[in-house]
């Protein structure tokens, strides 16, 4: 018997590992494991779990159409497989590679060792163009496009791979069934059916607004694809979206928008590849020259940031929005990260775990790659210190987003809703908004905090370790030209 283990690939369509497991011809057991030790990690919250449950319900129903049955079980990986390995003759375990947090990385290392000790083959399949154990990116771009152009791994008809009856009885008597009921909630719902609704509305309607709305905190909720949760949890694959977008380019009047969308699919894989190659960025600066950068913890700052009470309306609106909806567009994600790590000058780990728990589309590789870059810890990118006032003026000029999520400012004229500290005493009385009571005072001065952050970050970039690390990072994580490859040989 073989086993297919669903992880962050909750789909039947374009699942290479599942197709290979079926093609093996052996009786096949399909399982999903709810692991308490994994879900106790603070990166994960109930909004993620509900999305998973909804996706699993849909997946189970779709399995029936292929004469397959998915078993969702509450069990720890090593304990579960050990019992199956002891009881039954298992030839191979199939799964899709996961570029995950340290908690899943360590689990997979332990599972691999267990399989090896028992002479059981664990066959992991590539996910979304991300490669394992590569030394540099010299051929990565070509490899990504080649993978995206290969045919989708669809399932054949007439599948005859049911596991033995005694296996099913063993599962029923020895393990607890993972219950898939979910409460009503305001977040995007999981599952292939919901993915298809969002996909079709994007390509058939919302795509027209993609480029114009992508940076707008309010309009982006309509104009962006909103497909990222389905990609992150594997309800769909990047390859199928890539091929859908490429096919539509032949007939669509929105070729520029489709090109931008395809580019972002590649960047999605690019950041996950960085995390795959250097997972320690979950805990520390990727550029080791910044490991001793002093950023003393200020619990008041961190709490104000998390609760949306910094005194900067666009920051506060963004933090309240993501806590309530699970969604925030890319520019606002970058801005709140910059505000925490630059203006408040807090270590990125004071907010990275909490913010991961808010994003419905939490993808470890993208999350930590972006945190490192926005915090200025790579030593390779220009340090971008986002100004929340300028971003409000540029992207929420009518304060629609601000007034939606910071209702205490709704009665203020637009300029004061963006910069409430400019209110006179008479205006405060007129609009019934008292700073420090109805809405907090600014916790930092932007000009001073920006200058402080840049001085310290660029100061650290001058040390010998940071300079050496910069070359190492460029060599490992960037796609280099032919001349750059020749130069690298001299390093």
């Amino acid at each position: 018997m073989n086993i297919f283990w669903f992880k962050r690939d909750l789909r039947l369509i374009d699942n290479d590992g599942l197709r290979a497991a079926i093609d093996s011809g052996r009786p096949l057991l399909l399982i999903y494991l709810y692991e308490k030790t994994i879900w106790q990690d603070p990166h994960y919250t109930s909004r993620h779990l509900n999305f998973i449950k909804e996706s699993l319900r849909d997946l189970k129903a779709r399995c029936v159409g292929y004469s397959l049955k998915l078993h969702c079980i509450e069990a720890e990986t090593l304990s579960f497989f050990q019992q199956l390995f002891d009881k039954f003759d298992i030839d191979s375990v199939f799964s899709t590679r996961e570029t995950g947090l340290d908690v899943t990385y360590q689990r997979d290392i332990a599972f691999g060792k267990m399989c090896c000790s028992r002479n059981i083959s664990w066959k992991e399949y590539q996910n979304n163009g991300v490669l394992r154990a590569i030394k540099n990116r010299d051929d990565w771009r070509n490899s990504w496009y080649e993978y995206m152009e290969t045919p989708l791994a669809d399932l054949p008809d007439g599948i005859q791979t049911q596991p033995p009856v005694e296996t099913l009885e063993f599962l029923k008597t020895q393990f607890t069934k993972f219950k898939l009921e979910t409460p009503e909630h305001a977040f995007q719902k999981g599952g292939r059916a919901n993915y298809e609704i969002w996909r079709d509305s994007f390509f058939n309607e919302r795509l027209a607004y993609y480029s114009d709305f992508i940076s707008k905190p309010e309009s982006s909720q309509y104009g962006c694809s909103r497909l990222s949760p389905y990609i992150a949890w594997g309800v769909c694959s990047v390859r199928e979206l890539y091929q859908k977008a490429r096919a539509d380019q032949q007939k669509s009047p929105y070729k520029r928008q489709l090109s931008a969308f395809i580019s972002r699919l590649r960047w999605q894989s690019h950041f996950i590849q960085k995390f795959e190659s250097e997972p320690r960025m979950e805990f520390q600066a990727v550029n080791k020259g910044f490991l001793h950068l002093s950023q003393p913890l200020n619990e008041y700052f961190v709490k104000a940031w998390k609760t949306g009470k910094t005194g900067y309306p666009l920051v506060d609106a963004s933090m309240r929005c993501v806590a309530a909806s699970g969604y925030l567009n890319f520019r606002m994600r970058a801005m709140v990260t910059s505000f925490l790590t630059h203006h408040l000058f807090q270590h990125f780990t004071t907010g990275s775990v909490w913010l991961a728990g808010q994003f419905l589309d939490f993808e470890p590789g993208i999350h930590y790659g972006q945190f490192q870059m926005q915090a200025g810890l790579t030593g390779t990118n220009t340090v971008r210190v986002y100004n929340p006032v300028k971003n409000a003026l540029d992207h929420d000029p009518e304060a629609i987003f601000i007034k939606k999520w910071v209702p205490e400012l709704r009665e203020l004229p637009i300029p004061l809703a963006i910069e409430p500290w400019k209110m006179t005493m008479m205006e405060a009385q007129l609009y019934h908004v008292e700073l420090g009571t109805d809405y907090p005072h600014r916790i930092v001065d932007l000009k001073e905090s920006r200058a402080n952050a840049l001085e310290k970050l660029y100061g650290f970039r001058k040390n010998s370790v940071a300079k050496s690390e910069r070359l190492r990072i460029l060599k490992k994580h960037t796609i280099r030209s032919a001349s750059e490859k020749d130069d690298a040989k001299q390093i």
Side-chain angles (χ1 to χ4, degrees):
M1 180 175 66
N2 287 336
I3 298 172
F4 184 81
W5 175 19
F6 282 100
K7 296 163 78 177
R8 289 183 72 133
D9 58 333
L10 304 180
R11 63 182 183 272
L12 300 180
I13 295 175
D14 198 30
N15 192 321
D16 290 313
L18 178 59
R19 177 62 195 253
I22 291 170
D23 288 347
S24 71
R26 293 182 182 272
L28 181 63
L29 177 66
L30 306 184
I31 60 107
Y32 176 85
L33 299 179
Y34 168 75
E35 305 164 85
K36 288 184 179 179
T37 56
I38 301 298
W39 284 94
Q40 286 171 353
D41 187 284
H43 288 83
Y44 299 121
T45 60
S46 60
R47 64 188 61 184
H48 302 137
L49 188 57
N50 288 332
F51 190 92
I52 292 292
K53 288 181 177 181
E54 290 157 355
S55 299
L56 287 170
R57 288 205 304 264
D58 185 288
L59 185 60
K60 282 173 67 74
R62 291 172 188 269
C63 281
V64 174
Y66 287 95
S67 299
L68 297 169
K69 184 174 182 179
L70 171 61
H71 301 270
C72 300
I73 295 166
E74 288 191 20
E76 298 300 319
T77 294
L78 298 185
S79 173
F80 173 81
F81 280 105
Q82 182 176 355
Q83 293 183 65
L84 257 67
F85 292 169
D86 287 344
K87 183 74 174 179
F88 301 102
D89 181 15
I90 309 297
D91 181 78
S92 300
V93 176
F94 294 76
S95 70
T96 301
R97 289 175 187 160
E98 179 177 1
T99 303
L101 298 168
D102 187 65
V103 65
T104 58
Y105 180 48
Q106 297 303 326
R107 173 205 63 192
D108 287 354
I109 290 174
F111 178 66
K113 290 179 178 178
M114 185 171 75
C115 288
C116 186
S117 69
R118 291 172 173 263
N119 201 29
I120 292 171
S121 175
W122 182 22
K123 300 179 179 180
E124 292 185 281
Y125 287 78
Q126 184 176 342
N127 190 37
N128 293 337
V130 177
L131 304 174
R132 182 151 288 180
I134 61 173
K135 294 181 179 180
N136 56 53
R137 294 293 197 93
D138 290 353
D139 299 316
W140 186 85
R141 184 187 179 102
N142 290 337
S143 175
W144 188 85
Y145 278 108
E146 287 174 6
Y147 177 80
M148 293 301 151
E149 295 288 352
T150 56
L152 302 184
D154 293 331
L155 297 189
D157 295 324
I159 298 173
Q160 300 292 327
T161 59
Q162 291 80 3
V165 174
E166 56 267 29
T167 306
L168 305 182
E169 286 297 319
F170 184 75
L171 294 179
K172 185 176 181 180
T173 58
Q174 297 298 316
F175 300 103
T176 301
K177 183 179 179 181
F178 179 39
K179 297 179 180 178
L180 303 181
E181 294 80 12
T182 55
E184 281 300 314
H185 57 80
F187 304 102
Q188 271 184 272
K189 289 181 169 54
R192 185 78 186 186
N194 286 306
Y195 154 72
E196 290 171 351
I197 291 171
W198 283 98
R199 177 199 64 193
D200 293 346
S201 74
F202 175 62
F203 284 108
N204 298 335
E205 178 185 346
R206 296 183 292 112
L207 175 66
Y209 306 96
Y210 184 65
S211 298
D212 292 334
F213 287 1
I214 195 167
S215 293
K216 312 299 180 185
E218 182 63 22
S219 302
S220 63
Q221 299 186 50
Y222 176 80
C224 284
S225 77
R226 303 300 300 274
L227 298 175
S228 55
Y230 305 102
I231 298 173
W233 298 104
V235 176
C236 67
S237 73
V238 169
R239 181 164 60 183
E240 62 177 295
L241 282 172
Y242 170 88
Q243 294 189 12
K244 164 69 174 169
R246 288 286 289 167
D248 283 6
Q249 276 187 314
Q250 307 303 315
K251 55 186 179 181
S252 174
Y254 304 112
K255 291 179 172 57
R256 180 171 61 89
Q257 288 88 337
L258 285 167
S259 292
F261 178 72
I262 290 171
S263 175
R264 287 182 175 89
L265 290 178
R266 180 167 56 81
W267 278 104
Q268 190 261 8
S269 300
H270 164 79
F271 275 99
I272 297 174
Q273 185 67 65
K274 291 177 71 173
F275 194 64
E276 169 72 31
S277 301
E278 206 145 1
R280 67 180 180 83
M281 66 175 70
E282 177 184 344
F283 305 105
Q284 59 183 217
V286 65
N287 185 313
K288 295 175 184 177
F290 290 91
L291 292 180
H292 300 294
L293 176 67
S294 178
Q295 293 176 291
L297 174 63
N298 186 318
E299 294 182 355
Y300 169 72
F301 279 3
V302 175
K303 182 179 180 181
W305 178 79
K306 288 180 179 179
T307 56
K309 295 181 179 180
T310 68
Y312 285 94
L314 188 59
V315 173
D316 295 341
S318 296
M319 298 304 287
R320 298 182 195 186
C321 172
V322 73
S325 70
Y327 175 78
L328 198 63
N329 73 335
F330 172 78
R331 177 172 286 274
M332 294 304 104
R333 294 186 191 204
M335 183 197 68
V336 298
T337 300
S338 173
F339 193 85
L340 173 71
T341 58
H342 296 147
H343 292 297
L344 303 184
F345 211 65
Q346 297 298 288
H347 194 274
F348 77 92
T349 54
T350 61
S352 58
V353 175
W354 184 86
L355 203 52
Q358 308 310 304
F359 292 145
L360 184 62
D361 60 0
F362 169 55
E363 171 63 67
I366 297 174
H367 186 72
Y368 279 104
Q370 284 297 321
F371 246 96
Q372 294 277 338
M373 187 170 75
Q374 302 304 339
L377 300 177
T378 66
T380 61
N381 306 95
T382 300
V383 179
R384 294 191 64 186
V385 181
Y386 282 72
N387 184 320
V389 176
K390 183 180 185 303
N391 273 271
L393 293 171
D394 289 346
H395 303 294
D396 191 30
E398 297 180 8
I400 295 172
F401 181 72
I402 286 172
K403 291 188 176 185
K404 177 179 180 179
W405 293 104
V406 189
E408 54 266 46
L409 303 180
R410 282 179 182 169
E411 300 305 316
L412 294 182
I414 291 171
L416 293 180
I418 293 174
E419 299 179 274
W421 52 87
K422 290 187 175 181
M423 276 192 299
T424 65
M425 187 178 297
M426 184 179 295
E427 287 171 326
Q429 292 176 344
L430 176 64
Y431 299 117
H432 306 290
V433 177
E434 182 179 351
L435 291 185
T437 301
D438 301 307
Y439 185 68
H441 291 287
R442 295 178 292 170
I443 59 176
V444 292
D445 178 275
L446 291 181
K447 185 176 181 180
E448 293 177 0
S449 58
R450 181 180 187 275
N452 174 67
L454 289 176
E455 179 185 5
K456 292 182 177 178
L457 287 169
Y458 277 107
F460 263 76
R461 286 174 73 139
K462 296 176 182 177
N463 72 58
S464 59
V465 176
K467 290 180 178 179
S468 175
E469 279 288 285
R470 177 182 181 276
L471 296 176
R472 180 191 67 81
I473 291 167
L474 289 173
K475 183 177 179 180
K476 186 170 186 176
H477 295 298
T478 60
I479 301 170
R480 300 172 295 168
S481 65
S483 61
E484 288 173 326
K485 293 176 189 176
D486 290 337
D487 291 343
K489 294 176 183 178
Q490 310 302 319
I491 298 173

